[in-house]
Amino acid sequence: MHRPLLATLLAATAGIAAAQTFDPARITADVKTLSSDSYEGRGPATLGETKTVAYIVKQMQAGGLQPGGTAAPDGKRGWTQDVPLLRSQITGSPTLSMAIAGTPTPLTQGDQIAVRAALTGQKSVSIADAPLVFVGYGVTAPERKWDDFKGQDLKGKIAVVLVNDPDFETGDGDFGGKAMTYYGRWTYKYEEAARRGAAGILIVHETAPASYGWATVKNSNTNTMFDIVRQNPAASHTPLEGWIQRDLAVTLFKASGLDFDAEKAKARTRDFRAVPLKATLAANYAVDAQVITSKNVLGRLPGTTRADETVIYSAHWDHLGVGAPDAKGDRIYNGAVDNATGIAALLELGRTFAKAPRTARSLVFLAVTAEEKGLLGSEYYAANPVYPLGKTVGVLNMDSMAVAGPARDFGISGSAKLGLLDMLTAEGAKRNRTFSPEPHPEAGGFYRSDHFPMAKRGVPAVSFDGGSDLVTGGAAAGEAFAQAYTRDRYHQPADEWSASWNLSGMTADLGLLYAVGRDLATGTVWPNWSADSEFKAERDKTASARK
């Protein structure tokens, strides 16, 4: 090929990303539809799921994508991947009470306490006078020489634990300061209590270390629960899992002759020892537990020359469904920002790529189920990948996109260091946007989005954040918007579409995400984790697949 012609073609290819435009009207239509009351909050295994999956498939097909799901025996792919899940819900109202220093104290589900339906597969929970034991942050971390249990026998007992890491209050210590480790996540605390053989676990809710208010805890834990299907679910879950309000915890400690804040301070030290509380818990409720099948949805654009190498864009389609009414009597948790915006972004990216020249590597647009139930759709995909993880180039996840207008910066969930972030940062600089570290790493955002199941298996993966330094109003306006959303709408029926949204920030974000994805899909680079990342060793195990 003549050099002038080659130069012309390269220049044209380089201009493809810059020339792309994204349609706010289409994005709005997708969000309004998916978050409308008729979709009933998009709960897995409901009519809302059926409508949602059908809508996503229809839009992917109309946008020019090909089916990218599980292959049939004849080799033809469908649009979906079956995701078997344990669905569990409490039947009727649970009977819950404590005896606090001998005084019977009835508890109301959703008020002082929020217990989840058992995910052990059992059909009922019946606990009589189980002793409560305060076990600090509920952490066993041998590499940090940290053990909150120190031989404490939890069989038949209820563990009472603090949320987040021991470092949260002071910002320094053995757990890396403010940035939450996995030990700080409630999922870890449930798992550790199960490993210890406890009858149950109660996490003390405090808004700052949890990063959300009691309304979020109540709404997320008192409705239908899901989990992946496990061979031995009791190894990962105790029969009773839940949260209690801080006020109740203070009362428990006071009745036990203890000061709550003083015991919290002790729990921040390596010398902490578990403390029995002068209280017992009784719980009785029936559980409707059954295995159901939900769906991940996959659209694909096969690569032209290296189709076995895959770049993934992902977003979760589910929300909380129908649950407890708010003060206005609204029971539908519409999930407009979280995460109809992410699915709208996924669909718009798919349409845009489909109209552009094909890339060498394949592109997959993955809409996953049951994120709100613990990243279950992405966990299932990562454990049962439709496309080999060793040849998955990277994952760009989108969860709760920008609706407050354009920002001067952008970010990702967590503080991971990897080549994928370097690419985003370089492309952002071309657009006069800077990378800002997560403003609240103590919230554990890295462990709360669908990139995490892929990341922990070594695949370079990020969950994109549209930034908080708004062009109009600056960082103060961005922080105020985020705080108001978390307080008033996050995991509440009020997360609804609004005509006041400014989607120009979202379209700018899509331009950045499109450009990076296209560079990955047209190039030969294999981004990796930083040398000190806990995920690099897993990635390196599959290095031979990328030669």
Side-chain angles (χ1 to χ4, degrees), residues 157-493:
K157 300 174 183 177
I158 307 296
V160 177
V161 305
L162 301 168
V163 70
N164 214 307
D165 287 320
D167 290 4
F168 174 79
E169 301 288 342
T170 62
D172 57 24
D174 296 293
F175 289 81
K178 279 286 189 182
M180 184 191 286
T181 69
Y182 189 58
Y183 295 116
R185 282 291 286 152
W186 53 264
T187 49
Y188 164 80
K189 297 172 193 293
Y190 286 168
E191 292 162 1
E192 186 62 27
R195 285 189 284 268
R196 296 279 172 171
I201 174 171
L202 294 171
I203 299 173
V204 178
H205 174 261
E206 294 185 275
T207 297
S211 81
Y212 37 70
W214 179 256
T216 299
V217 171
K218 178 184 70 174
N219 296 336
S220 301
N221 288 275
T222 60
N223 61 5
T224 305
M225 293 289 107
F226 292 84
D227 194 17
I228 59 173
V229 176
R230 304 176 188 269
Q231 280 192 329
N232 181 17
S236 300
H237 295 284
T238 61
L240 181 141
E241 296 172 330
W243 296 63
I244 56 173
Q245 292 261 34
R246 183 184 189 278
D247 288 349
L248 176 58
V250 169
T251 299
L252 287 172
F253 279 67
K254 185 176 181 180
S256 304
L258 303 167
D259 178 79
F260 177 71
D261 290 324
E263 294 305 312
K264 272 183 66 177
K266 292 179 184 177
R268 295 197 292 269
T269 69
R270 189 179 278 108
D271 294 332
F272 168 82
R273 302 192 73 86
V275 182
L277 300 174
K278 294 180 180 178
T280 60
L281 180 136
N284 284 281
Y285 46 92
V287 179
D288 177 13
Q290 55 185 289
V291 174
I292 58 92
T293 300
S294 189
K295 304 282 187 182
N296 288 336
V297 186
L298 298 89
R300 184 173 184 250
L301 292 172
T304 56
T305 57
R306 299 193 303 282
D308 61 334
E309 301 173 8
T310 302
V311 176
I312 295 178
Y313 288 96
S314 64
H316 73 90
W317 60 253
D318 67 300
H319 199 56
L320 299 181
V322 178
D326 64 7
K328 298 179 180 178
D330 189 353
R331 299 183 63 230
I332 297 177
Y333 291 69
N334 303 81
V337 170
D338 182 17
N339 188 32
T341 59
I343 292 297
L346 188 78
L347 294 173
E348 187 69 2
L349 283 167
R351 296 177 187 117
T352 305
F353 271 108
K355 293 174 184 175
R358 289 290 183 268
T359 56
R361 287 166 162 166
S362 296
L363 287 153
V364 167
F365 302 86
L366 171 62
V368 295
T369 183
E371 185 271 354
E372 302 292 6
K373 305 303 181 183
L375 315 181
L376 301 182
S378 51
E379 175 66 27
Y380 186 83
Y381 179 91
N384 304 273
V386 178
Y387 304 97
L389 299 188
K391 287 200 169 185
T392 297
V393 184
V395 177
L396 295 164
N397 184 63
M398 297 166 290
D399 194 342
S400 302
M401 302 295 284
V403 297
R408 299 182 183 91
D409 62 345
F410 71 91
I412 62 171
S413 295
S415 55
K417 297 176 183 178
L418 69 169
L420 201 51
L421 177 57
D422 295 339
M423 294 180 70
L424 281 165
T425 301
E427 183 61 36
K430 297 177 186 176
R431 298 159 186 264
N432 296 316
R433 296 181 69 179
T434 58
F435 169 71
S436 292
E438 186 177 26
H440 298 288
E442 68 275 12
F446 188 82
Y447 311 104
R448 291 166 58 180
S449 288
D450 285 305
H451 71 293
F452 178 59
M454 301 289 275
K456 70 181 181 181
R457 289 170 173 85
V459 179
V462 295
S463 193
F464 183 83
D465 179 85
S468 58
D469 184 8
L470 299 182
V471 172
T472 302
E479 178 70 8
F481 184 90
Q483 288 185 2
Y485 173 76
T486 301
R487 181 185 66 244
D488 301 329
R489 295 185 292 281
Y490 176 59
H491 283 202
Q492 299 174 59

